[in-house]
């Protein structure tokens, strides 16, 4: 009997405490209002401080790997929320900007929130590391790996060397230039020269990187070397063709392929404007360095009186050239994936994406579709196919998307625009603006294709599922935040 009376009194005190808290929330605080009961804590119940700090550190390190590999801010946010929810933190907020990631864990009304910050200092393409990290994320969210085991596995992933020697990446960058030259209509002699020049530029950039030279100046040096080397090859008689400028266009394509244009557009579309502004500024600055290098090379060639060929016309695909265009697209995509240290499976899927993109682009240009529209449609199809098939083949869609659009980058249009600015007196920038429009069309098309692939990827006939935004990396479904 006494026990029942005590339980009734306890329930009554709890009800009064809840009513007091509701009164404090609805009304402005005054001296006449009753104070809240400090013993009744509201909000989520979380683990101890040690566990909270450990989980936040693990999530931040995984997010850093994704950001440094070019993943979008929305992908990083979704990944961290999924990780913290799976590892026992019921309510977290994530703030991602271009150079740092911040995660805050809320611990109710009576405990201060815990905030952790990690700065993203280094950026580099290692798609094997990205793929292994995403596999680890899947294991964590499925409950197959504990936080301690995940921390050890992540250290093994980030501490492992590149899967291929550095000279393989150098040869692969040269291979990108080789196949892009074929795609633009050049012969084997031009393709071989372009391959050698791009490989040399990569080694020089590697040497300059050891001295911590900023990437802006590395882009200047790359554009300068590509221009002077191609013009010198013509003046020396090494190339007897009338289209030696394709070598410069191929080298420009290689230098443009490392820029984070896709991630910048994805961040802008998904609402991460600060990160999108940072990525856009980086892309603009790197492009400006490339422009400065190419224009400087053209000016030096004029001063030295080196032989210059006429400005090449835009690529016009014929039915006879379409197989070569498709071959060039497949080869360039595969070489880019290899240069970015992708796995063999990702390399093959990337080559398939490049084949699809080049075939669609070539077919549309045969139908007299303008370059901007053809690029957008081809990139949309690449993003769609990559979004549907990549995860089924256990490949990160970001790898497929970036590799697939590499052959379509506007290297030739960029060189034409720079030639008109640096050599001709007309100063016409319309061609250069067309190159910018093609780059934006490629990036936006990839993001749109990935967005359209979501309902198909989650199962035919389930189109009513609410879409949460394009996913180039990380978990497919956003985690449901719990507030207890």
């Amino acid at each position: 009997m006494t026990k029942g009376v005590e339980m009734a009194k306890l329930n009554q005190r709890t009800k009064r405490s809840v009513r007091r808290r509701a009164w404090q929330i609805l009304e402005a605080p005054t001296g006449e209002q009753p104070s809240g009961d400090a013993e009744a804590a509201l909000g989520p119940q979380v683990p101890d401080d040690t566990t909270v700090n450990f989980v936040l550190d693990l999530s931040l390190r995984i997010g850093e790997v994704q950001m440094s590999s070019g993943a979008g801010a929305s992908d990083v946010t979704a990944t961290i929320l999924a990780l913290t929810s799976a590892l026992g933190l019921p309510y977290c907020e994530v703030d991602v900007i271009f150079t740092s990631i911040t995660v805050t864990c809320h611990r109710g009304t009576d405990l201060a929130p815990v905030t952790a910050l990690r700065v993203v200092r280094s950026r580099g393409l290692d798609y094997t590391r990205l793929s292994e990290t995403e596999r680890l994320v899947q294991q964590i969210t499925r409950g197959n790996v504990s936080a301690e085991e995940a921390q050890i596995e992540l250290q093994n992933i980030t501490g492992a060397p590149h899967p291929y020697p550095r000279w393989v990446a150098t040869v692969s960058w040269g291979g990108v230039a080789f196949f892009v030259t074929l795609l633009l209509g050049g012969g084997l002699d031009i393709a071989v020269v372009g391959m050698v020049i791009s490989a040399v530029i990569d080694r020089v950039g590697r040497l300059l990187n050891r001295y911590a030279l900023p990437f802006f100046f590395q882009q200047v040096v790359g554009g300068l070397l590509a221009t002077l080397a191609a013009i010198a090859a013509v003046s020396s008689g090494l190339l007897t063709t009338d289209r030696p400028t394709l070598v410069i266009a191929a080298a420009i394509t290689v230098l443009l392929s490392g820029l984070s244009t896709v991630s910048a557009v994805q961040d802008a579309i998904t609402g991460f404007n600060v990160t999108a502004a940072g990525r856009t500024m980086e892309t603009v600055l790197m492009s400006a360095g490339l422009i400065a290098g190419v224009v400087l090379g053209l000016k030096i060639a004029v001063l030295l009186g080196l032989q210059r060929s006429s400005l090449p016309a835009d690529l016009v695909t014929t039915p006879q050239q379409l197989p070569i265009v498709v071959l060039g697209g497949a080869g360039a995509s595969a070489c880019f994936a290899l240069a970015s240290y992708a796995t063999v499976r990702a390399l093959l899927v990337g080559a398939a994406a490049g084949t699809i993109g080049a075939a669609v682009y070539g077919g549309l240009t045969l139908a007299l579709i303008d370059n901007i529209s053809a690029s957008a449609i081809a990139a949309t199809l690449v993003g769609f196919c990559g979004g549907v098939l990549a995860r089924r083949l256990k490949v990160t869609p970001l790898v497929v998307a970036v590799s697939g659009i590499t052959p379509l980058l506007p290297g030739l249009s960029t060189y034409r625009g720079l030639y008109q600015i640096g050599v001709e007196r007309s100063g016409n920038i319309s061609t250069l603006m067309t190159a910018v429009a093609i780059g934006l069309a490629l990036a936006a098309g990839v993001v749109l294709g990935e967005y359209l692939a979501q309902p198909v990827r989650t199962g035919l006939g389930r189109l009513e599922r609410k879409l949460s935004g394009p996913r180039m990396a990380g978990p497919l479904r956003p985690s449901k935040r719990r507030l207890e």
Side-chain angles (χ1 to χ4, degrees):
M1 186 69 178
T2 304
K3 190 174 183 180
V5 173
E6 291 178 355
M7 291 296 296
K9 289 181 179 179
L10 180 60
N11 292 336
Q12 189 175 6
R13 284 198 303 269
T14 303
K15 292 179 181 179
R16 284 200 302 267
S17 174
V18 174
R19 286 198 298 269
R20 290 190 186 114
R21 287 185 179 271
W23 174 264
Q24 290 173 343
I25 294 173
L26 295 175
E27 297 292 338
T30 63
E32 300 178 356
Q33 294 174 355
S35 61
D37 187 358
E39 296 180 356
L42 299 180
Q45 302 297 322
V46 298
D48 57 277
D49 291 346
T50 303
T51 302
V52 171
N53 293 328
F54 189 88
V55 171
L56 292 183
D57 180 74
L58 174 63
S59 303
L60 284 172
R61 290 179 182 273
I62 291 177
E64 180 189 16
V65 173
Q66 290 184 322
M67 281 291 291
S68 62
S69 300
S74 59
D75 299 334
V76 176
T77 300
T79 300
I80 294 178
L81 289 176
L83 290 173
T84 53
S85 178
L87 295 175
L89 303 189
Y91 192 84
C92 291
E93 293 291 348
V94 182
D95 183 30
V96 178
I97 61 175
F98 183 53
T99 56
S100 65
I101 307 172
T102 305
V103 182
T104 298
C105 175
H106 294 280
R107 304 190 294 170
T109 56
D110 290 348
L111 294 176
V114 178
T115 299
L117 170 69
R118 190 164 186 86
V119 176
V120 182
R121 291 185 174 87
S122 61
R123 301 179 187 276
L125 294 178
D126 190 335
Y127 285 150
T128 295
R129 181 178 302 166
L130 178 63
S131 300
E132 290 296 321
T133 303
E134 181 163 350
R135 180 189 59 79
L136 177 61
V137 170
Q138 294 174 356
Q139 294 295 319
I140 295 174
T141 54
R142 293 170 183 173
N144 299 331
V145 178
S146 65
E148 292 76 11
E149 295 172 340
Q151 183 78 359
I152 297 175
E153 181 66 21
L154 181 62
Q155 291 177 355
N156 294 333
I157 293 174
T158 56
H162 293 307
Y164 314 117
R166 188 63 183 83
W167 64 266
V168 174
T170 299
V171 175
S172 299
W173 287 121
V176 174
F178 179 89
F179 286 105
V180 168
T181 304
L182 294 180
L183 189 149
L184 295 177
L188 289 177
D189 55 344
I190 306 178
V192 171
V193 173
M195 178 178 179
V196 173
I197 292 176
S198 294
V200 171
I201 292 174
D202 178 74
R203 298 310 301 179
V204 171
R206 179 74 173 175
L207 178 62
L208 296 176
N209 199 32
R210 293 180 181 176
Y211 295 96
L213 184 69
F215 285 106
F216 172 82
F217 298 106
Q218 293 186 30
Q219 289 286 95
V220 174
V221 173
L224 177 63
L225 288 179
T227 305
L228 290 180
I231 295 177
V234 176
S235 301
S236 63
L238 181 63
L239 289 178
T240 57
T241 178
D242 59 346
R243 305 189 69 184
T245 49
L246 295 182
V247 175
I248 306 176
I252 291 175
T253 302
V254 173
L255 294 173
L256 289 175
S257 61
L259 302 182
S260 56
T261 309
V262 173
S263 300
V265 173
Q266 180 187 4
D267 290 338
I269 291 176
T270 54
F272 291 84
N273 297 317
V274 176
T275 309
R279 293 186 190 273
T280 302
M281 186 61 193
E282 181 189 52
T283 301
V284 170
L285 189 62
M286 296 301 102
S287 301
L290 179 60
I291 291 172
V294 173
V295 173
L296 180 60
L298 292 173
K299 293 291 187 181
I300 293 176
V302 172
L303 292 177
L304 297 179
L306 298 178
Q307 179 182 351
R308 293 180 289 111
S309 63
S310 59
L311 187 64
D314 286 331
L315 176 65
V316 179
T317 305
T318 63
Q320 293 77 17
Q321 293 176 334
L322 187 58
I324 299 178
V325 170
V326 174
L327 175 63
S333 297
C335 289
F336 175 82
L338 184 60
S340 302
Y341 301 106
T343 61
V344 176
R345 179 178 298 180
L347 187 151
L348 297 176
V349 178
T355 302
I356 294 173
V360 172
Y361 178 83
L364 291 175
T365 53
L366 282 177
L368 302 181
I369 304 296
D370 62 279
N371 293 337
I372 299 176
S373 300
S375 300
I377 295 173
T380 301
L381 188 58
V382 168
F384 180 82
C385 294
V388 172
L389 300 177
R391 293 187 188 271
R392 295 181 180 274
L393 299 175
K394 298 181 180 181
V395 177
T396 305
L398 178 65
V399 181
V400 180
V402 178
S403 301
I405 66 171
T406 295
L408 305 180
L409 290 174
L412 183 59
S413 298
T414 301
Y415 176 70
R416 283 174 52 81
L418 296 180
Y419 188 95
Q420 292 173 349
I421 294 175
V423 178
E424 296 181 352
R425 297 183 178 181
S426 61
N428 187 9
I429 63 172
S430 60
T431 305
L432 191 59
M433 290 299 100
T434 300
V436 174
I438 292 175
L440 293 177
L442 290 173
V446 166
V447 176
L448 177 61
E450 170 65 22
Y451 182 82
L452 296 176
Q454 289 186 71
V456 179
R457 183 174 55 205
T458 54
L460 296 176
R462 299 178 60 188
L463 301 181
E464 74 279 359
R465 172 178 175 264
K466 183 179 180 180
L467 301 179
S468 59
R471 283 281 174 269
M472 297 290 182
L476 295 178
R477 293 178 178 271
S479 62
K480 295 181 179 179
R481 297 189 237 174
R482 306 187 304 272
L483 181 59
E484 297 178 357

